[in-house]
Amino acid sequence: MRLRELIILAALTLLLGLLCSFGVLSAWLALGMLALAAGILSWFAQDQLRQNMKSKEQTLQTQLRISVKDASLKGQQIMTILTNIPSPLAMMDSYGHLLLYNEGFSRFLSEETEEPLTYRDKRIDGEIALFLKEAYLSESAMVRNIHFNGIDFQCLSVPIQEKGRFTGCLLLFQDITQAMEKERMQKRFIADASHELKTPIAAIKGMIEILNRDDFDDEPTMKEFHRQIQKETQRLENIVADLLQLSRLSMNRMLLDRQPCQVSELFENLISEVRHEARQRQVQLEVDVQVNRPFSLDAQKMHQALANLVTNALYHSGATIIRLSAYMQKGRLMLAVSDNGCGIDQKHIDRIFERFYRVEPSRSRANGGSGLGLAIVRAIVNAHEGEIEVTSELGKGTRFCISLPDRS
């Protein structure tokens, strides 16, 4: 019984004692009444206790349901996050079991299964399994690069510690293919640039060594060597200038001086620049301009892009007709340079905009080309937020088409 019931029972006992002392009640009757009162008070106390216990039990059940619901919701949220993370991810415990992994990690498995996985499981690809084993045995942070099915992954192992003890690790596989491709392109670019610079330097060095011989006395050869040295020097200058320009373009330093520009004037300036060379090569130049209003362009840079396309057609296509055209299509300005020359094999189409890539290396070098012209064209077009496409057929000709947004 609680304190309140005990006080009531004590007061009743005192009252019955007084009544018995004054002879109002007999002792047995007083004891009976006291026992009855004690029983009633005990019953009320137990009933109150049962109600309190029932209320507490209901409260605990409610709290438990809420906790279970929250835990389930959090579990679903965690699984949703893990499932939607694009990078492969897994968690391994201190026994080498994969407690969970997302769909991205499943690509490393030779077959789907409901059975538990460990780092030793033969269903995991060899290189990935080796990384899991190393992460499990080292119990420390690790970073490795792995190539899997044409994709470069940076593999991270993050150990999980509890009270200073290794309890597992988190494994994350990040796709770094683009970064690795940029690194490979940079290395290839440096190698190509070195090769391109080395060729004219070697030629100049060889001719100078011959000219500097004490017994050299050949006037016609000397004049020819001087002419060749001048040609190779000009080629070196062209390569360096193009390299500097491409370097600025790759570092997003191209600032466009957009001004209202008439396409007809752009074509006229270009034609006047190449007309003499076209006559010497017996190439007919045609112009078709179907737009008669100004467009917001950097005229100087767009002139350079079109000039590169036209000179490529003059020097390398063997064409008899080169046609420049301008027209509107789906709200965009289209600038096209086409020829009826030898065309380009389809195997080269995807690579012609690469730096130093030449369809016919010997002919390109003979004409003093740097191998960077089309790369510069694409960079200028990209700076104008445009696109460039090429279509070609062997024996029938090539067409370069620049598509620019109308920002007039």
Side-chain angles (χ1 to χ4, degrees), residues 28 51 202:
W28 289 106
Q51 290 181 3

Side-chain angles (χ1 to χ4, degrees), residues 101 109 111-117 121 123:
Y101 55 89
L109 304 179
E111 59 181 87
E112 290 289 341
T113 178
E114 298 294 332
E115 298 178 8
L117 288 173
D121 202 301
R123 290 167 293 183

